[in-house]
Coordinates of all heavy atoms in Angstrom, one line a residue:
I1 N -80.8 31.9 -84.6 CA -80.2 31.8 -85.9 C -79.6 30.4 -86.2 O -79.8 29.9 -87.3 CB -79.0 32.9 -86.0 CG1 -79.6 34.3 -86.0 CG2 -78.2 32.7 -87.3 CD1 -78.6 35.4 -85.9
Q2 N -79.0 29.8 -85.2 CA -78.4 28.5 -85.4 C -79.6 27.5 -85.7 O -79.4 26.6 -86.6 CB -77.7 28.0 -84.2 CG -76.3 28.7 -84.0 CD -75.6 28.2 -82.7 OE1 -76.3 28.0 -81.7 NE2 -74.3 28.2 -82.8
K3 N -80.7 27.6 -85.0 CA -81.8 26.6 -85.2 C -82.5 26.9 -86.6 O -82.9 25.9 -87.2 CB -82.8 26.7 -84.1 CG -82.2 26.4 -82.7 CD -83.2 26.2 -81.6 CE -83.9 24.9 -81.8 NZ -84.8 24.6 -80.6
S4 N -82.5 28.2 -87.0 CA -83.2 28.5 -88.3 C -82.3 28.0 -89.4 O -82.8 27.7 -90.5 CB -83.4 30.0 -88.4 OG -82.1 30.7 -88.5
L5 N -81.0 27.8 -89.2 CA -80.1 27.3 -90.2 C -80.0 25.8 -90.2 O -79.2 25.2 -90.9 CB -78.7 27.9 -90.1 CG -78.6 29.4 -90.3 CD1 -77.2 29.9 -90.0 CD2 -79.0 29.7 -91.8
G6 N -80.8 25.2 -89.3 CA -80.8 23.7 -89.3 C -80.2 23.0 -88.1 O -80.0 21.8 -88.1
A7 N -79.7 23.8 -87.2 CA -79.0 23.2 -86.0 C -80.0 22.3 -85.2 O -81.2 22.8 -84.9 CB -78.4 24.2 -85.1
K8 N -79.7 21.1 -84.9 CA -80.6 20.2 -84.1 C -80.5 20.6 -82.6 O -79.6 21.3 -82.1 CB -80.1 18.8 -84.3 CG -80.1 18.3 -85.7 CD -81.5 18.3 -86.3 CE -81.4 17.7 -87.8 NZ -82.8 17.7 -88.4
N9 N -81.6 20.1 -81.9 CA -81.7 20.4 -80.5 C -80.5 19.9 -79.7 O -80.0 20.5 -78.8 CB -83.0 19.9 -79.9 CG -84.2 20.7 -80.3 OD1 -84.0 21.8 -80.9 ND2 -85.4 20.2 -80.1
F10 N -80.0 18.7 -80.1 CA -78.9 18.0 -79.4 C -77.6 18.8 -79.6 O -76.8 18.8 -78.7 CB -78.8 16.6 -79.8 CG -78.1 16.4 -81.2 CD1 -76.7 16.3 -81.3 CD2 -78.8 16.3 -82.3 CE1 -76.0 16.2 -82.5 CE2 -78.2 16.2 -83.6 CZ -76.8 16.1 -83.6
F11 N -77.5 19.5 -80.7 CA -76.3 20.4 -81.0 C -76.3 21.5 -80.0 O -75.3 21.8 -79.3 CB -76.3 20.9 -82.4 CG -75.2 21.8 -82.7 CD1 -73.9 21.4 -82.9 CD2 -75.4 23.2 -82.7 CE1 -72.9 22.3 -83.2 CE2 -74.4 24.1 -82.9 CZ -73.1 23.6 -83.2
I12 N -77.4 22.2 -79.8 CA -77.5 23.3 -78.9 C -77.3 22.8 -77.4 O -76.6 23.4 -76.6 CB -78.9 24.0 -79.0 CG1 -79.1 24.5 -80.4 CG2 -79.0 25.2 -78.0 CD1 -78.1 25.5 -81.0
L13 N -78.0 21.7 -77.1 CA -77.8 21.1 -75.8 C -76.4 20.8 -75.5 O -75.9 21.1 -74.4 CB -78.7 19.8 -75.7 CG -78.6 19.0 -74.4 CD1 -79.3 19.8 -73.3 CD2 -79.3 17.7 -74.5
F14 N -75.7 20.1 -76.4 CA -74.3 19.7 -76.2 C -73.4 20.9 -76.1 O -72.5 20.9 -75.3 CB -73.9 18.8 -77.3 CG -72.5 18.3 -77.2 CD1 -72.2 17.2 -76.4 CD2 -71.4 18.9 -77.8 CE1 -70.9 16.7 -76.2 CE2 -70.1 18.5 -77.7 CZ -69.9 17.4 -76.9
Q15 N -73.8 22.0 -76.8 CA -72.9 23.2 -76.9 C -72.9 23.8 -75.5 O -71.8 24.1 -75.0 CB -73.5 24.1 -77.9 CG -72.7 25.4 -78.1 CD -73.4 26.3 -79.1 OE1 -74.0 27.3 -78.7 NE2 -73.4 25.9 -80.4
F16 N -74.0 24.0 -74.8 CA -74.1 24.6 -73.5 C -73.6 23.7 -72.4 O -73.0 24.1 -71.4 CB -75.5 25.1 -73.2 CG -75.8 26.4 -74.0 CD1 -76.4 26.4 -75.2 CD2 -75.5 27.6 -73.4 CE1 -76.7 27.6 -75.9 CE2 -75.8 28.8 -74.1 CZ -76.4 28.8 -75.3
L17 N -73.9 22.4 -72.6 CA -73.5 21.4 -71.6 C -72.0 21.3 -71.6 O -71.3 21.3 -70.5 CB -74.1 20.1 -71.9 CG -74.1 19.0 -70.7 CD1 -74.8 19.6 -69.5 CD2 -74.7 17.7 -71.2
F18 N -71.4 21.3 -72.8 CA -69.9 21.3 -72.8 C -69.3 22.5 -72.2 O -68.3 22.4 -71.6 CB -69.5 21.1 -74.3 CG -68.0 21.0 -74.5 CD1 -67.3 19.8 -74.4 CD2 -67.2 22.2 -74.7 CE1 -65.9 19.8 -74.5 CE2 -65.9 22.1 -74.8 CZ -65.2 20.9 -74.7
E19 N -69.9 23.7 -72.5 CA -69.4 24.9 -71.9 C -69.4 24.8 -70.4 O -68.4 25.3 -69.7 CB -70.3 26.1 -72.4 CG -69.8 27.4 -71.9 CD -70.6 28.6 -72.4 OE1 -71.2 28.4 -73.5 OE2 -70.7 29.6 -71.8
A20 N -70.5 24.3 -69.8 CA -70.5 24.2 -68.3 C -69.5 23.2 -67.8 O -68.8 23.5 -66.8 CB -71.9 23.7 -67.9
V21 N -69.3 22.1 -68.5 CA -68.3 21.1 -68.1 C -66.9 21.7 -68.2 O -66.0 21.5 -67.3 CB -68.4 19.8 -68.9 CG1 -67.2 18.9 -68.6 CG2 -69.7 19.1 -68.6
F22 N -66.7 22.4 -69.3 CA -65.3 23.0 -69.5 C -65.0 24.0 -68.4 O -63.9 24.1 -67.9 CB -65.3 23.7 -70.9 CG -64.1 24.6 -71.1 CD1 -62.9 23.9 -71.4 CD2 -64.1 25.9 -71.1 CE1 -61.7 24.7 -71.6 CE2 -63.0 26.7 -71.3 CZ -61.8 26.1 -71.5
L23 N -66.0 24.9 -68.0 CA -65.7 25.8 -67.0 C -65.5 25.2 -65.7 O -64.6 25.6 -64.9 CB -67.0 26.8 -66.9 CG -67.2 27.7 -68.1 CD1 -68.5 28.5 -67.9 CD2 -66.0 28.7 -68.3
C24 N -66.2 24.1 -65.4 CA -66.0 23.4 -64.1 C -64.6 22.7 -64.1 O -64.0 22.7 -63.1 CB -67.1 22.4 -63.9 SG -68.6 23.1 -63.2
L25 N -64.3 22.1 -65.2 CA -62.9 21.5 -65.3 C -61.8 22.5 -65.1 O -60.8 22.2 -64.5 CB -62.8 20.8 -66.7 CG -63.3 19.4 -66.8 CD1 -63.2 18.9 -68.2 CD2 -62.6 18.4 -65.9
L26 N -62.0 23.7 -65.7 CA -61.0 24.7 -65.5 C -60.9 25.1 -64.0 O -59.8 25.2 -63.5 CB -61.4 26.0 -66.3 CG -60.4 27.1 -66.4 CD1 -59.1 26.6 -67.0 CD2 -60.9 28.3 -67.2
G27 N -62.0 25.3 -63.3 CA -62.0 25.6 -61.9 C -61.4 24.4 -61.1 O -60.7 24.6 -60.2
G28 N -61.8 23.2 -61.5 CA -61.4 22.0 -60.7 C -59.9 21.8 -60.9 O -59.2 21.5 -59.9
A29 N -59.4 22.0 -62.1 CA -57.9 21.9 -62.4 C -57.1 22.9 -61.6 O -56.1 22.6 -61.0 CB -57.6 22.0 -63.8
T30 N -57.7 24.1 -61.4 CA -57.0 25.1 -60.6 C -57.0 24.7 -59.2 O -56.0 24.9 -58.5 CB -57.8 26.5 -60.8 OG1 -57.9 26.8 -62.2 CG2 -57.0 27.6 -60.0
G31 N -58.1 24.2 -58.7 CA -58.1 23.7 -57.3 C -57.1 22.6 -57.0 O -56.4 22.6 -56.0
I32 N -57.0 21.7 -58.0 CA -56.0 20.6 -57.8 C -54.6 21.1 -57.9 O -53.8 20.6 -57.1 CB -56.3 19.5 -59.0 CG1 -57.6 18.8 -58.8 CG2 -55.2 18.5 -59.0 CD1 -58.0 17.9 -59.9
F33 N -54.4 22.1 -58.7 CA -53.1 22.7 -58.8 C -52.7 23.3 -57.5 O -51.5 23.2 -57.0 CB -53.0 23.7 -59.9 CG -51.7 24.4 -60.1 CD1 -50.6 23.8 -60.6 CD2 -51.6 25.8 -59.7 CE1 -49.4 24.5 -60.7 CE2 -50.4 26.5 -59.7 CZ -49.3 25.8 -60.3

């Protein structure tokens, strides 16, 4: 649906990549704590 509405490939790529980085940062911050 996002791509049919005009979302670019880089938007989808960044969306999932950011999600992975966010999850890892959350886990890493917990480990540091």
Side-chain angles (χ1 to χ4, degrees):
I1 294 173
Q2 286 179 327
K3 298 192 77 170
S4 65
L5 294 176
K8 303 295 183 182
N9 286 351
F10 77 88
F11 174 81
I12 306 297
L13 175 70
F14 182 82
Q15 185 182 104
F16 282 91
L17 197 59
F18 180 86
E19 182 176 334
V21 171
F22 172 75
L23 293 174
C24 279
L25 274 175
L26 188 60
T30 304
I32 293 173
F33 177 73

